[in-house]
Amino acid sequence: MELVNVERLQELLNNFANEDVYIHLETTNGAYASHFNESVFNAGAFIRNVMLRYELGKIAGEAPHRVGLKLPHGWVYAQGITHFELDEHDRLLMAGHDQSGKLAVALQISKTPFTY
């Protein structure tokens, strides 16, 4: 993965717009975060292989970025995106890593379902 290049990432987001796509969205602070530090509130969200069609992909803010997908009746967005890549299966993978390099958020877009 490479650091977000806003122009390149916007181009890739545009390529998936107005098509049926599958998304994977995940946030985490680590499943064992509260085991190592009892004061950590362990929270996260996970959705995978939800099909949607967005009309606009938008990158906002300075790094780390917010990436939003505008739907006909709402938005999906991920806050904290720092890296991205288009992988060998033409899936757009975006991730946000914290200061220690740990994954904090992932937003992925694919024209085919993600495998487990």
Side-chain angles (χ1 to χ4, degrees):
M1 298 190 103
E2 62 184 273
L3 286 172
V4 168
N5 172 313
V6 173
E7 292 79 22
R8 176 66 179 138
L9 180 54
Q10 184 64 63
E11 178 183 313
L12 293 170
L13 287 168
N14 293 347
N15 289 342
F16 287 95
N18 298 308
E19 293 194 36
D20 290 336
V21 294
Y22 295 89
I23 65 165
H24 171 87
L25 175 63
E26 179 176 1
T27 65
T28 183
N29 57 2
Y32 299 102
S34 61
H35 293 281
F36 297 117
N37 182 348
E38 292 180 0
S39 66
V40 172
F41 181 77
N42 193 4
F46 181 93
I47 60 172
R48 187 169 184 87
N49 285 328
V50 172
M51 182 185 284
L52 55 79
R53 178 182 291 245
Y54 64 91
E55 55 195 52
L56 173 70
K58 179 93 174 144
I59 306 162
E62 299 297 319
H65 304 278
R66 180 185 317 136
V67 175
L69 307 176
K70 186 177 186 308
L71 309 174
H73 302 289
W75 284 84
V76 170
Y77 77 85
Q79 176 74 39
I81 298 295
T82 57
H83 293 78
F84 78 106
E85 74 176 35
L86 187 68
D87 75 0
E88 67 274 14
H89 304 289
D90 291 326
R91 300 177 299 194
L92 179 55
L93 312 178
M94 296 166 278
H97 300 276
D98 68 13
Q99 297 84 352
S100 64
K102 293 179 182 173
L103 179 67
V105 62
L107 174 60
Q108 303 174 349
I109 302 170
S110 174
K111 292 181 180 176
T112 59
F114 293 97
T115 57
Y116 292 93

